[in-house]
Amino acid sequence: MTRDARAFWLRAPGEGEIRSVTLPAPGPDEVLVRTRYSGVSRGTETLVFTGRVPVDQYATMRAPFQEGDFPAPVKYGYLSVGVVEEGPEALRGRTVFCLYPHQTAYVVPAQAVVVVPERVPAARAVLAGTVETAVNALWDAPPLVGDRVTVVGGGMVGCCVAALLARFPGVRTELVDADPARAAVAAALGVDFALPADAAGGRDLVVHASASGDGLQRSLELLRPEGTVLELSWYGDRPVTLRLGGAFHSGRLRIHSSQVGTVSPRRADRSYHDRLALALDLLADPAFDALLTGRSRFAELPDVLDRLGTGRLPALCHLITYDGE
């Protein structure tokens, strides 16, 4: 069994490369996974690629199997799907998801992988990490039956939240984005769509995921009195300016942050593994295929991240394929 692998590394901000690596033999409680697909988490990974992680967030932003340190050199990523080639008998030959960087094969503890349900295609399963973020968000601010909910920002995270909200009984969801092309994605997910200027007001809950100050400001403007903005955006080192006069105080509006690094306190009875397994189960819905908007070979990843980082390659989740796919 060959133990040679290749990994994507950020050599310096804005400069990626493919490096060779030799894998260790897996121990008795470890697995060797041969990668089939990985996904580029466009918002977070482009911030990492361009070297825009704030110094005081270096520890918080570490991925589970990251190597190196910010800003670079660093091996980063966390949306990987592959097949177990070596390990415990119950896992051998199974398709699994792991929060691992972009690498052709890797050895990790067996408890670090979660089996992909048979009804979930392997390519779609790369979205599990982002759906997990959406699950945690809706644990942090669960809507009530009949709520009017808006998601501002039609990127990966925003669309995953919208997809889950579409399944809540009696909840009418509107996806808001400055790009009119997101209307087709909204339709595929089963939610309404509006441009920011045309968005409906009087909302009980607004989930903000545009990673822009303008988007957060518009989110506040859409709330009913005593409504809540759930903030999911990661701004990196960019400052955000808000206008908090007007209805912010008189309407008793709230901004509630959510972050996937911890399980929501509202669901303290659930583990990280429980949350990830739930995300994979939810991905049985084919509507999520609308979020896979392009694919490239692993060898092209340095160029792909460069184009994503500069905005030359528009994408929601860009799928990376490996040998034989």
Side-chain angles (χ1 to χ4, degrees), residues 130-165:
T130 312
V131 174
E132 184 182 16
T133 300
V135 167
N136 207 57
L138 295 178
W139 282 350
D140 277 333
L144 301 176
V145 174
D147 271 0
R148 298 157 297 181
V149 183
T150 292
V151 179
V152 175
M156 275 183 70
V157 172
C159 284
C160 284
V161 173
L164 298 187
L165 286 168

PDB file of all heavy atoms in Angstrom, residues 130-165:
ATOM      1  N   THR A 130     -20.280  22.961   6.452  1.00  0.00           N
ATOM      2  CA  THR A 130     -21.050  24.201   6.364  1.00  0.00           C
ATOM      3  C   THR A 130     -22.473  24.004   6.865  1.00  0.00           C
ATOM      4  O   THR A 130     -23.034  24.874   7.536  1.00  0.00           O
ATOM      5  CB  THR A 130     -21.062  24.723   4.912  1.00  0.00           C
ATOM      6  OG1 THR A 130     -19.730  24.710   4.399  1.00  0.00           O
ATOM      7  CG2 THR A 130     -21.597  26.140   4.850  1.00  0.00           C
ATOM      8  N   VAL A 131     -23.077  22.858   6.554  1.00  0.00           N
ATOM      9  CA  VAL A 131     -24.396  22.560   7.102  1.00  0.00           C
ATOM     10  C   VAL A 131     -24.322  22.465   8.619  1.00  0.00           C
ATOM     11  O   VAL A 131     -25.250  22.882   9.333  1.00  0.00           O
ATOM     12  CB  VAL A 131     -24.967  21.268   6.486  1.00  0.00           C
ATOM     13  CG1 VAL A 131     -26.279  20.880   7.158  1.00  0.00           C
ATOM     14  CG2 VAL A 131     -25.181  21.446   4.988  1.00  0.00           C
ATOM     15  N   GLU A 132     -23.205  21.972   9.141  1.00  0.00           N
ATOM     16  CA  GLU A 132     -23.007  21.922  10.588  1.00  0.00           C
ATOM     17  C   GLU A 132     -23.042  23.335  11.185  1.00  0.00           C
ATOM     18  O   GLU A 132     -23.620  23.557  12.256  1.00  0.00           O
ATOM     19  CB  GLU A 132     -21.674  21.250  10.896  1.00  0.00           C
ATOM     20  CG  GLU A 132     -21.401  21.046  12.369  1.00  0.00           C
ATOM     21  CD  GLU A 132     -20.048  20.431  12.633  1.00  0.00           C
ATOM     22  OE1 GLU A 132     -19.185  20.437  11.725  1.00  0.00           O
ATOM     23  OE2 GLU A 132     -19.838  19.961  13.767  1.00  0.00           O
ATOM     24  N   THR A 133     -22.437  24.296  10.485  1.00  0.00           N
ATOM     25  CA  THR A 133     -22.497  25.698  10.924  1.00  0.00           C
ATOM     26  C   THR A 133     -23.934  26.191  10.955  1.00  0.00           C
ATOM     27  O   THR A 133     -24.355  26.887  11.889  1.00  0.00           O
ATOM     28  CB  THR A 133     -21.659  26.587   9.993  1.00  0.00           C
ATOM     29  OG1 THR A 133     -20.298  26.151  10.015  1.00  0.00           O
ATOM     30  CG2 THR A 133     -21.724  28.050  10.410  1.00  0.00           C
ATOM     31  N   ALA A 134     -24.704  25.826   9.918  1.00  0.00           N
ATOM     32  CA  ALA A 134     -26.104  26.248   9.848  1.00  0.00           C
ATOM     33  C   ALA A 134     -26.927  25.603  10.957  1.00  0.00           C
ATOM     34  O   ALA A 134     -27.802  26.253  11.557  1.00  0.00           O
ATOM     35  CB  ALA A 134     -26.680  25.885   8.479  1.00  0.00           C
ATOM     36  N   VAL A 135     -26.677  24.333  11.241  1.00  0.00           N
ATOM     37  CA  VAL A 135     -27.378  23.654  12.339  1.00  0.00           C
ATOM     38  C   VAL A 135     -27.108  24.369  13.655  1.00  0.00           C
ATOM     39  O   VAL A 135     -28.031  24.658  14.436  1.00  0.00           O
ATOM     40  CB  VAL A 135     -26.946  22.175  12.427  1.00  0.00           C
ATOM     41  CG1 VAL A 135     -27.405  21.551  13.745  1.00  0.00           C
ATOM     42  CG2 VAL A 135     -27.496  21.387  11.247  1.00  0.00           C
ATOM     43  N   ASN A 136     -25.845  24.682  13.914  1.00  0.00           N
ATOM     44  CA  ASN A 136     -25.493  25.344  15.165  1.00  0.00           C
ATOM     45  C   ASN A 136     -26.157  26.714  15.260  1.00  0.00           C
ATOM     46  O   ASN A 136     -26.630  27.129  16.323  1.00  0.00           O
ATOM     47  CB  ASN A 136     -23.973  25.490  15.270  1.00  0.00           C
ATOM     48  CG  ASN A 136     -23.487  25.544  16.695  1.00  0.00           C
ATOM     49  OD1 ASN A 136     -23.748  24.634  17.473  1.00  0.00           O
ATOM     50  ND2 ASN A 136     -22.802  26.609  17.070  1.00  0.00           N
ATOM     51  N   ALA A 137     -26.230  27.422  14.131  1.00  0.00           N
ATOM     52  CA  ALA A 137     -26.865  28.741  14.113  1.00  0.00           C
ATOM     53  C   ALA A 137     -28.333  28.649  14.502  1.00  0.00           C
ATOM     54  O   ALA A 137     -28.840  29.456  15.300  1.00  0.00           O
ATOM     55  CB  ALA A 137     -26.721  29.364  12.724  1.00  0.00           C
ATOM     56  N   LEU A 138     -29.027  27.657  13.953  1.00  0.00           N
ATOM     57  CA  LEU A 138     -30.450  27.535  14.242  1.00  0.00           C
ATOM     58  C   LEU A 138     -30.702  26.895  15.604  1.00  0.00           C
ATOM     59  O   LEU A 138     -31.815  26.976  16.118  1.00  0.00           O
ATOM     60  CB  LEU A 138     -31.146  26.766  13.120  1.00  0.00           C
ATOM     61  CG  LEU A 138     -31.109  27.512  11.772  1.00  0.00           C
ATOM     62  CD1 LEU A 138     -31.762  26.689  10.674  1.00  0.00           C
ATOM     63  CD2 LEU A 138     -31.772  28.872  11.886  1.00  0.00           C
ATOM     64  N   TRP A 139     -29.703  26.304  16.201  1.00  0.00           N
ATOM     65  CA  TRP A 139     -29.790  25.957  17.623  1.00  0.00           C
ATOM     66  C   TRP A 139     -29.640  27.220  18.466  1.00  0.00           C
ATOM     67  O   TRP A 139     -30.292  27.360  19.503  1.00  0.00           O
ATOM     68  CB  TRP A 139     -28.707  24.944  17.997  1.00  0.00           C
ATOM     69  CG  TRP A 139     -29.000  23.537  17.586  1.00  0.00           C
ATOM     70  CD1 TRP A 139     -30.178  23.042  17.098  1.00  0.00           C
ATOM     71  CD2 TRP A 139     -28.097  22.426  17.633  1.00  0.00           C
ATOM     72  NE1 TRP A 139     -30.067  21.707  16.825  1.00  0.00           N
ATOM     73  CE2 TRP A 139     -28.807  21.288  17.149  1.00  0.00           C
ATOM     74  CE3 TRP A 139     -26.778  22.279  18.025  1.00  0.00           C
ATOM     75  CZ2 TRP A 139     -28.210  20.030  17.066  1.00  0.00           C
ATOM     76  CZ3 TRP A 139     -26.182  21.013  17.934  1.00  0.00           C
ATOM     77  CH2 TRP A 139     -26.897  19.909  17.465  1.00  0.00           C
ATOM     78  N   ASP A 140     -28.777  28.141  18.030  1.00  0.00           N
ATOM     79  CA  ASP A 140     -28.577  29.390  18.763  1.00  0.00           C
ATOM     80  C   ASP A 140     -29.811  30.291  18.722  1.00  0.00           C
ATOM     81  O   ASP A 140     -30.118  30.977  19.694  1.00  0.00           O
ATOM     82  CB  ASP A 140     -27.386  30.168  18.186  1.00  0.00           C
ATOM     83  CG  ASP A 140     -26.048  29.694  18.726  1.00  0.00           C
ATOM     84  OD1 ASP A 140     -26.015  29.173  19.859  1.00  0.00           O
ATOM     85  OD2 ASP A 140     -25.039  29.856  18.024  1.00  0.00           O
ATOM     86  N   ALA A 141     -30.511  30.312  17.594  1.00  0.00           N
ATOM     87  CA  ALA A 141     -31.682  31.185  17.449  1.00  0.00           C
ATOM     88  C   ALA A 141     -32.772  30.440  16.696  1.00  0.00           C
ATOM     89  O   ALA A 141     -33.061  30.738  15.533  1.00  0.00           O
ATOM     90  CB  ALA A 141     -31.299  32.468  16.706  1.00  0.00           C
ATOM     91  N   PRO A 142     -33.396  29.462  17.335  1.00  0.00           N
ATOM     92  CA  PRO A 142     -34.408  28.660  16.640  1.00  0.00           C
ATOM     93  C   PRO A 142     -35.659  29.477  16.332  1.00  0.00           C
ATOM     94  O   PRO A 142     -36.192  30.151  17.221  1.00  0.00           O
ATOM     95  CB  PRO A 142     -34.713  27.537  17.639  1.00  0.00           C
ATOM     96  CG  PRO A 142     -34.330  28.093  18.974  1.00  0.00           C
ATOM     97  CD  PRO A 142     -33.191  29.016  18.728  1.00  0.00           C
ATOM     98  N   PRO A 143     -36.143  29.427  15.084  1.00  0.00           N
ATOM     99  CA  PRO A 143     -37.380  30.141  14.765  1.00  0.00           C
ATOM    100  C   PRO A 143     -38.593  29.427  15.332  1.00  0.00           C
ATOM    101  O   PRO A 143     -38.562  28.221  15.597  1.00  0.00           O
ATOM    102  CB  PRO A 143     -37.404  30.122  13.226  1.00  0.00           C
ATOM    103  CG  PRO A 143     -36.628  28.897  12.868  1.00  0.00           C
ATOM    104  CD  PRO A 143     -35.578  28.732  13.921  1.00  0.00           C
ATOM    105  N   LEU A 144     -39.664  30.183  15.529  1.00  0.00           N
ATOM    106  CA  LEU A 144     -40.930  29.619  15.975  1.00  0.00           C
ATOM    107  C   LEU A 144     -41.838  29.378  14.781  1.00  0.00           C
ATOM    108  O   LEU A 144     -41.663  29.987  13.713  1.00  0.00           O
ATOM    109  CB  LEU A 144     -41.608  30.573  16.961  1.00  0.00           C
ATOM    110  CG  LEU A 144     -40.817  30.906  18.227  1.00  0.00           C
ATOM    111  CD1 LEU A 144     -41.575  31.946  19.061  1.00  0.00           C
ATOM    112  CD2 LEU A 144     -40.544  29.649  19.038  1.00  0.00           C
ATOM    113  N   VAL A 145     -42.817  28.515  14.957  1.00  0.00           N
ATOM    114  CA  VAL A 145     -43.785  28.268  13.886  1.00  0.00           C
ATOM    115  C   VAL A 145     -44.441  29.594  13.495  1.00  0.00           C
ATOM    116  O   VAL A 145     -44.911  30.346  14.354  1.00  0.00           O
ATOM    117  CB  VAL A 145     -44.861  27.260  14.342  1.00  0.00           C
ATOM    118  CG1 VAL A 145     -45.939  27.129  13.280  1.00  0.00           C
ATOM    119  CG2 VAL A 145     -44.220  25.902  14.620  1.00  0.00           C
ATOM    120  N   GLY A 146     -44.434  29.875  12.204  1.00  0.00           N
ATOM    121  CA  GLY A 146     -45.057  31.106  11.709  1.00  0.00           C
ATOM    122  C   GLY A 146     -44.134  32.308  11.656  1.00  0.00           C
ATOM    123  O   GLY A 146     -44.556  33.388  11.226  1.00  0.00           O
ATOM    124  N   ASP A 147     -42.886  32.157  12.081  1.00  0.00           N
ATOM    125  CA  ASP A 147     -41.955  33.289  12.044  1.00  0.00           C
ATOM    126  C   ASP A 147     -41.659  33.722  10.613  1.00  0.00           C
ATOM    127  O   ASP A 147     -41.668  32.915   9.675  1.00  0.00           O
ATOM    128  CB  ASP A 147     -40.643  32.922  12.732  1.00  0.00           C
ATOM    129  CG  ASP A 147     -40.658  33.228  14.223  1.00  0.00           C
ATOM    130  OD1 ASP A 147     -41.686  33.728  14.713  1.00  0.00           O
ATOM    131  OD2 ASP A 147     -39.639  32.969  14.890  1.00  0.00           O
ATOM    132  N   ARG A 148     -41.362  35.003  10.483  1.00  0.00           N
ATOM    133  CA  ARG A 148     -40.907  35.586   9.212  1.00  0.00           C
ATOM    134  C   ARG A 148     -39.397  35.771   9.336  1.00  0.00           C
ATOM    135  O   ARG A 148     -38.928  36.546  10.162  1.00  0.00           O
ATOM    136  CB  ARG A 148     -41.599  36.916   8.962  1.00  0.00           C
ATOM    137  CG  ARG A 148     -43.126  36.789   8.830  1.00  0.00           C
ATOM    138  CD  ARG A 148     -43.832  38.081   9.130  1.00  0.00           C
ATOM    139  NE  ARG A 148     -43.613  38.495  10.522  1.00  0.00           N
ATOM    140  CZ  ARG A 148     -44.130  39.586  11.060  1.00  0.00           C
ATOM    141  NH1 ARG A 148     -44.890  40.392  10.344  1.00  0.00           N
ATOM    142  NH2 ARG A 148     -43.884  39.898  12.335  1.00  0.00           N
ATOM    143  N   VAL A 149     -38.661  35.036   8.504  1.00  0.00           N
ATOM    144  CA  VAL A 149     -37.208  34.979   8.643  1.00  0.00           C
ATOM    145  C   VAL A 149     -36.550  35.390   7.330  1.00  0.00           C
ATOM    146  O   VAL A 149     -36.984  34.979   6.247  1.00  0.00           O
ATOM    147  CB  VAL A 149     -36.731  33.569   9.040  1.00  0.00           C
ATOM    148  CG1 VAL A 149     -35.221  33.544   9.248  1.00  0.00           C
ATOM    149  CG2 VAL A 149     -37.448  33.102  10.308  1.00  0.00           C
ATOM    150  N   THR A 150     -35.493  36.180   7.449  1.00  0.00           N
ATOM    151  CA  THR A 150     -34.705  36.578   6.291  1.00  0.00           C
ATOM    152  C   THR A 150     -33.269  36.138   6.498  1.00  0.00           C
ATOM    153  O   THR A 150     -32.733  36.222   7.606  1.00  0.00           O
ATOM    154  CB  THR A 150     -34.751  38.097   6.086  1.00  0.00           C
ATOM    155  OG1 THR A 150     -36.079  38.473   5.696  1.00  0.00           O
ATOM    156  CG2 THR A 150     -33.780  38.547   5.002  1.00  0.00           C
ATOM    157  N   VAL A 151     -32.655  35.672   5.436  1.00  0.00           N
ATOM    158  CA  VAL A 151     -31.217  35.383   5.421  1.00  0.00           C
ATOM    159  C   VAL A 151     -30.569  36.396   4.496  1.00  0.00           C
ATOM    160  O   VAL A 151     -30.891  36.453   3.303  1.00  0.00           O
ATOM    161  CB  VAL A 151     -30.923  33.952   4.931  1.00  0.00           C
ATOM    162  CG1 VAL A 151     -29.409  33.705   4.899  1.00  0.00           C
ATOM    163  CG2 VAL A 151     -31.615  32.925   5.819  1.00  0.00           C
ATOM    164  N   VAL A 152     -29.680  37.216   5.028  1.00  0.00           N
ATOM    165  CA  VAL A 152     -28.974  38.225   4.232  1.00  0.00           C
ATOM    166  C   VAL A 152     -27.595  37.681   3.907  1.00  0.00           C
ATOM    167  O   VAL A 152     -26.776  37.461   4.808  1.00  0.00           O
ATOM    168  CB  VAL A 152     -28.869  39.558   4.987  1.00  0.00           C
ATOM    169  CG1 VAL A 152     -28.021  40.552   4.195  1.00  0.00           C
ATOM    170  CG2 VAL A 152     -30.259  40.132   5.238  1.00  0.00           C
ATOM    171  N   GLY A 153     -27.342  37.452   2.637  1.00  0.00           N
ATOM    172  CA  GLY A 153     -26.069  36.901   2.190  1.00  0.00           C
ATOM    173  C   GLY A 153     -26.243  35.508   1.644  1.00  0.00           C
ATOM    174  O   GLY A 153     -26.460  34.562   2.401  1.00  0.00           O
ATOM    175  N   GLY A 154     -26.145  35.372   0.319  1.00  0.00           N
ATOM    176  CA  GLY A 154     -26.382  34.083  -0.325  1.00  0.00           C
ATOM    177  C   GLY A 154     -25.113  33.336  -0.653  1.00  0.00           C
ATOM    178  O   GLY A 154     -24.990  32.760  -1.740  1.00  0.00           O
ATOM    179  N   GLY A 155     -24.147  33.320   0.283  1.00  0.00           N
ATOM    180  CA  GLY A 155     -22.962  32.489   0.128  1.00  0.00           C
ATOM    181  C   GLY A 155     -23.226  31.090   0.658  1.00  0.00           C
ATOM    182  O   GLY A 155     -24.375  30.695   0.888  1.00  0.00           O
ATOM    183  N   MET A 156     -22.161  30.326   0.870  1.00  0.00           N
ATOM    184  CA  MET A 156     -22.323  28.944   1.331  1.00  0.00           C
ATOM    185  C   MET A 156     -23.096  28.855   2.628  1.00  0.00           C
ATOM    186  O   MET A 156     -24.054  28.088   2.752  1.00  0.00           O
ATOM    187  CB  MET A 156     -20.948  28.303   1.528  1.00  0.00           C
ATOM    188  CG  MET A 156     -20.333  27.706   0.287  1.00  0.00           C
ATOM    189  SD  MET A 156     -18.756  26.898   0.678  1.00  0.00           S
ATOM    190  CE  MET A 156     -19.321  25.473   1.615  1.00  0.00           C
ATOM    191  N   VAL A 157     -22.684  29.641   3.624  1.00  0.00           N
ATOM    192  CA  VAL A 157     -23.330  29.558   4.931  1.00  0.00           C
ATOM    193  C   VAL A 157     -24.775  30.039   4.849  1.00  0.00           C
ATOM    194  O   VAL A 157     -25.699  29.376   5.345  1.00  0.00           O
ATOM    195  CB  VAL A 157     -22.542  30.352   5.986  1.00  0.00           C
ATOM    196  CG1 VAL A 157     -23.319  30.431   7.293  1.00  0.00           C
ATOM    197  CG2 VAL A 157     -21.179  29.717   6.232  1.00  0.00           C
ATOM    198  N   GLY A 158     -24.987  31.183   4.232  1.00  0.00           N
ATOM    199  CA  GLY A 158     -26.340  31.722   4.127  1.00  0.00           C
ATOM    200  C   GLY A 158     -27.278  30.776   3.408  1.00  0.00           C
ATOM    201  O   GLY A 158     -28.431  30.573   3.824  1.00  0.00           O
ATOM    202  N   CYS A 159     -26.800  30.169   2.325  1.00  0.00           N
ATOM    203  CA  CYS A 159     -27.654  29.241   1.577  1.00  0.00           C
ATOM    204  C   CYS A 159     -27.944  27.972   2.365  1.00  0.00           C
ATOM    205  O   CYS A 159     -29.051  27.427   2.284  1.00  0.00           O
ATOM    206  CB  CYS A 159     -27.007  28.910   0.237  1.00  0.00           C
ATOM    207  SG  CYS A 159     -27.144  30.234  -0.997  1.00  0.00           S
ATOM    208  N   CYS A 160     -26.973  27.496   3.128  1.00  0.00           N
ATOM    209  CA  CYS A 160     -27.236  26.308   3.967  1.00  0.00           C
ATOM    210  C   CYS A 160     -28.271  26.620   5.038  1.00  0.00           C
ATOM    211  O   CYS A 160     -29.157  25.801   5.318  1.00  0.00           O
ATOM    212  CB  CYS A 160     -25.939  25.816   4.599  1.00  0.00           C
ATOM    213  SG  CYS A 160     -24.853  24.916   3.463  1.00  0.00           S
ATOM    214  N   VAL A 161     -28.197  27.808   5.641  1.00  0.00           N
ATOM    215  CA  VAL A 161     -29.204  28.205   6.621  1.00  0.00           C
ATOM    216  C   VAL A 161     -30.576  28.292   5.958  1.00  0.00           C
ATOM    217  O   VAL A 161     -31.579  27.802   6.488  1.00  0.00           O
ATOM    218  CB  VAL A 161     -28.829  29.543   7.282  1.00  0.00           C
ATOM    219  CG1 VAL A 161     -29.976  30.036   8.164  1.00  0.00           C
ATOM    220  CG2 VAL A 161     -27.565  29.398   8.113  1.00  0.00           C
ATOM    221  N   ALA A 162     -30.632  28.916   4.780  1.00  0.00           N
ATOM    222  CA  ALA A 162     -31.904  29.046   4.068  1.00  0.00           C
ATOM    223  C   ALA A 162     -32.490  27.681   3.731  1.00  0.00           C
ATOM    224  O   ALA A 162     -33.707  27.468   3.840  1.00  0.00           O
ATOM    225  CB  ALA A 162     -31.703  29.872   2.797  1.00  0.00           C
ATOM    226  N   ALA A 163     -31.634  26.749   3.340  1.00  0.00           N
ATOM    227  CA  ALA A 163     -32.107  25.410   3.002  1.00  0.00           C
ATOM    228  C   ALA A 163     -32.750  24.730   4.212  1.00  0.00           C
ATOM    229  O   ALA A 163     -33.780  24.056   4.082  1.00  0.00           O
ATOM    230  CB  ALA A 163     -30.956  24.561   2.474  1.00  0.00           C
ATOM    231  N   LEU A 164     -32.163  24.902   5.375  1.00  0.00           N
ATOM    232  CA  LEU A 164     -32.748  24.309   6.580  1.00  0.00           C
ATOM    233  C   LEU A 164     -34.024  25.031   6.982  1.00  0.00           C
ATOM    234  O   LEU A 164     -35.009  24.395   7.384  1.00  0.00           O
ATOM    235  CB  LEU A 164     -31.736  24.341   7.726  1.00  0.00           C
ATOM    236  CG  LEU A 164     -30.440  23.550   7.527  1.00  0.00           C
ATOM    237  CD1 LEU A 164     -29.630  23.537   8.819  1.00  0.00           C
ATOM    238  CD2 LEU A 164     -30.726  22.119   7.072  1.00  0.00           C
ATOM    239  N   LEU A 165     -34.033  26.348   6.884  1.00  0.00           N
ATOM    240  CA  LEU A 165     -35.232  27.114   7.241  1.00  0.00           C
ATOM    241  C   LEU A 165     -36.419  26.750   6.363  1.00  0.00           C
ATOM    242  O   LEU A 165     -37.568  26.793   6.805  1.00  0.00           O
ATOM    243  CB  LEU A 165     -34.949  28.611   7.138  1.00  0.00           C
ATOM    244  CG  LEU A 165     -34.086  29.208   8.256  1.00  0.00           C
ATOM    245  CD1 LEU A 165     -33.649  30.618   7.872  1.00  0.00           C
ATOM    246  CD2 LEU A 165     -34.865  29.240   9.573  1.00  0.00           C
TER     247      LEU A 165
END
